[in-house]
Amino acid sequence: YVPDGDWNRYELDNAFSIYIPGTMELKAIYKPFVTPMGSNFTAIDNDEAVFLRGQRFMSANNGHDTYCCVTIFHATGTPGDAESHNQAPDITPADKEALRPLIDHEVSPYSFIEHPTYRWVDIAGTKAIEASYSRTSDDGPVSCRLYMLQNYDEIAKVVVTYREKDAHLWKDDLEKVISTFEWNNPK
């Protein structure tokens, strides 16, 4: 899936690419790791990146303060540590237990409103476990989706969050972000 409009493509850690809406910006601490690769395409030479609502969004919406975030992470292991990119075995209680510390870390220092539900999603042949939940915040409930993607000897984590009272601003775009994920070398 390639989004229409003003989205930017990012490649993380030379492992995968993902598109982010143009209304979001890479958090400043990651800027030293950035290499422009052409119009609307940027390489990030790091294993993590965080995108938040950007100044362009603020200007277009009269300074409306809102919360949305896309966090992406990549790790490499040894061959066979993970499933192949296109495998989707049953999600077992052990899988949920293994994911729970990652989700708890994302929720902290807040608490769950709705505990995670799990399912497989298909992204043009690449499989991802989706954990869907909501949490508290300082300004109302936040809708969250954590995606775990495997590729034989590497994993990617993509977390998409937005404040529920601003769903009309973010939901449609942020639910499409995962559909743009693509491994550089699917295994």
Side-chain angles (χ1 to χ4, degrees):
Y1 171 74
V2 177
D4 293 331
D6 187 22
W7 288 49
N8 298 302
R9 181 176 171 227
Y10 293 88
E11 181 179 86
L12 187 76
D13 207 16
N14 200 29
F16 61 85
S17 64
I18 194 165
Y19 284 82
I20 304 293
T23 51
M24 300 183 77
E25 294 177 357
L26 182 64
K27 196 171 178 180
I29 64 170
Y30 299 102
K31 299 276 179 160
F33 304 104
V34 165
T35 303
M37 303 296 286
S39 178
N40 295 340
F41 178 40
T42 303
I44 302 171
D45 186 25
N46 195 28
D47 62 0
E48 182 178 37
V50 176
F51 299 87
L52 302 167
R53 61 106 180 98
Q55 290 302 318
R56 213 175 104 230
F57 169 84
M58 294 289 285
S59 297
N61 288 280
N62 298 318
H64 178 77
D65 188 23
T66 185
Y67 170 78
C68 67
C69 183
V70 176
T71 303
I72 55 179
F73 172 79
H74 174 254
T76 302
T78 57
D81 278 353
E83 300 287 342
S84 293
H85 78 284
N86 59 357
Q87 292 180 314
D90 290 340
I91 299 171
T92 66
D95 294 328
K96 293 176 186 179
E97 187 176 319
L99 285 171
R100 189 57 188 253
L102 297 173
I103 295 167
D104 289 346
H105 175 76
E106 296 294 333
V107 170
S108 181
Y110 301 104
S111 58
F112 286 101
I113 295 171
E114 292 180 16
H115 286 273
T117 58
Y118 303 87
R119 70 182 183 124
W120 283 103
V121 293
D122 186 296
I123 307 157
T126 292
K127 307 298 185 195
I129 294 177
E130 176 192 76
S132 178
Y133 54 96
S134 62
R135 65 168 173 81
T136 60
S137 77
D138 294 335
D139 194 18
V142 172
S143 178
C144 310
R145 302 260 189 299
L146 180 142
Y147 298 92
M148 288 300 296
L149 302 104
Q150 302 180 73
N151 195 31
Y152 187 61
D153 62 351
E154 58 188 330
I155 60 163
K157 177 178 78 170
V158 178
V159 182
V160 177
T161 60
Y162 57 87
R163 191 178 296 139
E164 289 181 7
K165 73 179 181 180
D166 293 328
H168 66 285
L169 299 169
W170 299 111
K171 182 179 179 178
D172 289 345
D173 280 347
L174 291 186
E175 288 186 353
K176 293 175 188 168
V177 166
I178 196 61
S179 299
T180 70
F181 183 96
E182 185 176 5
W183 288 109
N184 288 356
N185 298 302
K187 301 171 211 157

